[in-house]
Structure formats: structure tokens, C-alpha cells
Amino acid sequence: MVTTSEHLNPKHVAIWRVTQLIPLGKVATYGQVADLAGLPGRARMVGKALGLVPESGWQGNNVPWYRVINSQGRISLPVGSDAFERQRQSLMEEGVIVNNGRIALKTFLWQPALSELLFDLDY
DNA sequence: GCCCTGACTCTCA
DNA sequence: CTGAGAGCCAGGG
């Protein structure tokens, strides 16, 4: 069992679960993840939650936090920072092109079909 | 409760 | 496209 006595915020967990649905090679925006997690208007909370993702993943699966970017299609981390570089590299490794911290949403934004959501996010 | 902070977002110039 | 401003909502002090 995971004896991590961390104070798990159920909202953070909901955010991690939605993040795990973002397919490899695609990205989603903070606002998009917030909406799908049932937390409209809380995009800033998504950033907070992703910063707290357990290194070991969640429920046996990894949480691709690096697939979440801002609505402008840009990486929302301090340019040049360690975290920024990790995100940029992770995305590039799976085929997402990052130019000067910018990603073409036209090409890489995750646009799930309603049927897909109904299946994964058991309502 | 008030004030401030932040991996956000929208609007407008 | 870029920047400033305002709006937004949890958390923490």
C-alpha cells in the first residue's frame, strides 16, 4: 500500500485522472482539463495540481503533466527553467513540436469525441 | 474575513 | 502577435 500520508485533495486527483486521458502526441489546455474534471473556472488549480503529481504516478499509471499547456499554446513554466526544459523535451520525444515554447494547437490539441469521454469518464 | 499569490484566461489596444 | 488589465478561484497567513 502507499503509505504516503500526503493530504490528497480530491480535486487534484480528479485533475490527474483527466490528464491521464490525454493521448500520447497530443496536448490539452489547463482550462480544458479543468472543465473535463468537473471544475470549470479553475484552470489555475490545474497548474497547482500538476505541480504536485507524485513522481511515482497515480494508481499505477503515470500522469503526463507535460501534455498540459496554456490556452495560448505555450508552455506555462519559466522559460529556461529546469521544469520548462523537461516539459519541452518530453513533448518533443513524443512528436509534439515545440518552437520557442510554442505549440500549434491547430495540430496537437486533444479534441476528444463525446463518445470517447462518455466511455472514459464514467458518469 | 481580508489580502496576496499563482504551471490561468479573456478582452482590448 | 504581444502586452497590459481585469476577472477568476483555491490556499495559506
Side-chain angles (χ1 to χ4, degrees):
Chain A
M1 69 183 197
V2 188
T3 52
T4 50
S5 58
E6 51 193 321
H7 343 142
L8 286 179
N9 181 322
K11 292 172 186 167
H12 290 177
V13 172
I15 288 167
W16 297 339
R17 280 166 53 69
V18 169
T19 300
Q20 293 178 316
L21 300 179
I22 306 171
L24 183 154
K26 288 291 180 181
V27 298
T29 67
Y30 294 94
Q32 184 181 2
V33 172
D35 288 344
L36 294 179
L39 301 167
R42 268 143 291 189
R44 311 187 76 142
M45 184 181 223
V46 174
K48 173 70 172 178
L50 294 182
L52 298 175
V53 168
E55 190 58 52
S56 52
W58 176 244
Q59 299 284 290
N61 298 297
N62 292 317
V63 180
W65 56 272
Y66 55 82
R67 291 181 190 151
V68 183
I69 61 180
N70 67 36
S71 63
Q72 269 183 100
R74 315 206 304 122
I75 287 179
S76 282
L77 287 168
V79 182
S81 69
D82 234 42
F84 177 97
E85 276 311 309
R86 283 204 302 284
Q87 179 162 21
R88 187 186 65 68
Q89 190 177 309
S90 297
L91 287 173
M92 292 297 277
E93 284 175 4
E94 48 184 61
V96 175
I97 300 173
V98 184
N99 269 321
N100 296 309
R102 301 198 263 93
I103 293 129
L105 294 180
K106 229 13 187 24
T107 305
F108 303 106
L109 182 66
W110 176 39
Q111 298 174 310
L114 178 57
S115 58
E116 181 184 342
L117 292 176
L118 291 175
F119 181 78
D120 293 324
L121 302 173
D122 46 72
Y123 280 125

